Amino acid sequence: MTVAEVKGFGRQRDHTEVYRGAEYKIDFVPKVKIELIRQPMKSSSQVIETIERTSKTGKIGDGKNICIAC
């Protein structure tokens, strides 16, 4: 299992923030990437559901990019 802090954007695209009176554009937003490799089992959907349920933050983009390579 690998967990990495990454930056990117989905449909929310970029946004503008103000810092010390100056306005600047944020092109990427911070995200977390989870990679998990395991032997094939019948419980694949249970593993995916557990990861989705425990890693949800309630913010835009939660669990949108799930890739299963079997």
Side-chain angles (χ1 to χ4, degrees), residues 6 22 44-45 53-54:
V6 297
S44 292
S45 60
R53 186 180 65 251
T54 57

Side-chain angles (χ1 to χ4, degrees), residues 8-48:
F9 60 86
R11 277 189 260 168
Q12 73 269 24
R13 299 287 176 189
D14 55 0
H15 64 280
T16 305
E17 290 189 9
V18 177
Y19 179 72
R20 294 189 178 185
E23 189 174 291
Y24 61 99
K25 183 176 171 182
I26 303 294
D27 293 326
F28 294 104
V29 292
K31 297 181 178 284
V32 175
K33 179 179 179 181
I34 301 171
E35 294 177 303
L36 177 68
I37 300 173
R38 62 176 198 83
Q39 293 183 348
M41 295 174 62
K42 293 181 181 180
S43 63
S44 292
S45 60
Q46 184 180 6
V47 170
I48 293 167

